């Protein structure tokens, strides 16, 4: 995906063997999406890992987030072209507009304040050491500085995208057909079951209990 991003922005030249691998994976992706015309645009810190996990159990590659060990080898069950948290404009660019329009696309969106808090806590606990002493306001200012350039020119990183950047193209057109509120678990359950994926009522939903 980084290679495609670099090519898209004219920052690297074509590499023949990588282009061949991309061509093969695109063919594999389109065949699977024809069989199961569904796509989940997974915004980080919005229960995306939970949804990916239950989709993987039902649909397998490339609908989830799972690595397995087979004969002492690590087998990655996610797509190399469409890894976790791929914005919809990148996914559409990779699989093509014709295929994208056939899909039942959906995403889970979260209250911007609690989403920002969750992202802040994640960075403090799992991110670069520089985040350890960031206040919430300092973190928001850091995010804001990352949003100055056009979305298509930003490096692929969860700190470089707003929630809306995962859902819209550069011209402000919404690419995802179904948006479900993170806070409404009943709607999430109902939609998942409508696409044939079982959703347990006690399944994990991201929620920070940190008093800060």
């Amino acid at each position: 995906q980084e290679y495609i991003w670099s090519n898209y922005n004219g920052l690297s030249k074509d590499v023949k063997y990588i282009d061949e691998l991309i061509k093969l994976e695109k063919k594999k992706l389109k065949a699977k999406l024809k069989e199961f015309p569904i796509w989940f645009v997974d915004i980080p810190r919005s229960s995306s890992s939970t949804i990916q996990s239950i989709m993987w159990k039902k649909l397998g590659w490339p609908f989830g987030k799972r690595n397995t060990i087979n004969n002492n080898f690590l087998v990655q069950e996610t797509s190399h072209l469409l890894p976790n948290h791929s914005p919809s404009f990148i996914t559409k660019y990779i699989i093509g507009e014709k295929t994208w329009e056939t899909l039942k696309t959906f995403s889970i969106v979260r209250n911007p304040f609690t989403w920002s808090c969750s992202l802040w806590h994640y960075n403090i606990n799992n991110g670069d050491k520089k985040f350890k002493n960031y206040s919430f306001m300092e973190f928001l200012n850091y995010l804001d500085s990352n949003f100055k350039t056009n979305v298509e020119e930003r490096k692929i990183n969860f700190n470089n995208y707003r929630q809306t950047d995962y859902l819209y193209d550069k011209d402000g057109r919404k690419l995802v057909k179904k948006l479900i509120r993170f806070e409404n678990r009943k709607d999430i359950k109902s939609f998942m079951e409508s696409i044939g994926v079982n959703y347990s009522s006690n399944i994990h939903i991201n929620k920070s209990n940190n008093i800060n």
Side-chain angles (χ1 to χ4, degrees), residues 51 54 104 106-109 178-195 197 199-201 203 205:
I51 300 299
I54 62 176
K104 191 171 188 175
F106 72 101
S107 188
I108 296 175
V109 294
K178 176 72 174 178
L179 301 182
I180 314 168
R181 290 182 183 274
F182 168 91
E183 295 79 11
N184 194 332
R185 192 179 301 192
K186 184 178 179 182
D187 281 358
I188 297 174
K189 184 177 187 294
S190 176
F191 179 81
M192 296 306 294
E193 291 178 351
S194 77
I195 61 173
V197 178
Y199 185 91
S200 171
S201 60
I203 207 157
I205 293 284

Side-chain angles (χ1 to χ4, degrees), residues 1-2 5 42-44 83-87 89-90 115 119 122-123 126-128 130-131 139 142-143 146-147 151-163 165-166:
Q1 196 180 69
E2 288 286 350
W5 180 90
D42 57 316
I43 299 172
N84 307 321
H85 312 313
S86 294
F89 73 89
I90 292 177
W115 179 77
L119 200 60
Y122 178 83
N123 274 281
N126 304 286
D128 192 289
K130 68 181 180 182
F131 295 114
F139 180 68
Y142 164 79
L143 291 181
N146 293 346
F147 301 153
V151 65
E152 294 187 322
E153 297 172 3
R154 297 182 212 146
K155 281 278 189 179
I156 300 169
N157 182 284
F158 60 87
N159 284 326
N160 289 343
Y161 296 121
R162 303 175 183 88
Q163 289 189 78
D165 291 330
Y166 290 89

Side-chain angles (χ1 to χ4, degrees), residues 45 62 105 162 204:
R45 317 312 300 163
T105 52
R162 303 175 183 88
H204 169 70

Side-chain angles (χ1 to χ4, degrees), residues 7-88:
N7 272 6
Y8 185 82
N9 289 289
L11 302 176
S12 65
K13 296 180 180 179
D14 290 344
V15 179
K16 187 175 180 180
Y17 79 90
I18 297 180
D19 289 338
E20 288 299 317
L21 289 172
I22 289 172
K23 185 178 179 181
L24 287 171
E25 176 136 347
K26 280 184 177 180
K27 185 176 180 180
K28 185 180 174 184
L29 278 168
K30 287 181 179 181
K32 191 67 183 276
L33 292 173
K34 186 175 182 180
E35 183 181 2
F36 299 107
I38 305 165
W39 192 255
F40 173 47
V41 178
D42 57 316
I43 299 172
R45 317 312 300 163
S46 65
S47 229
S48 59
S49 293
T50 298
I51 300 299
Q52 287 176 317
S53 178
I54 62 176
M55 288 186 71
W56 187 91
K57 289 177 184 177
K58 176 70 176 181
L59 305 171
W61 184 97
F63 294 99
K65 182 180 183 179
R66 177 77 176 262
N67 290 333
T68 58
I69 301 294
N70 188 6
N71 295 327
N72 295 321
F73 285 97
L74 178 68
V75 180
Q76 189 177 48
E77 295 288 354
T78 52
S79 168
H80 293 290
L81 289 183
L82 299 176
N84 307 321
H85 312 313
S86 294
S88 56

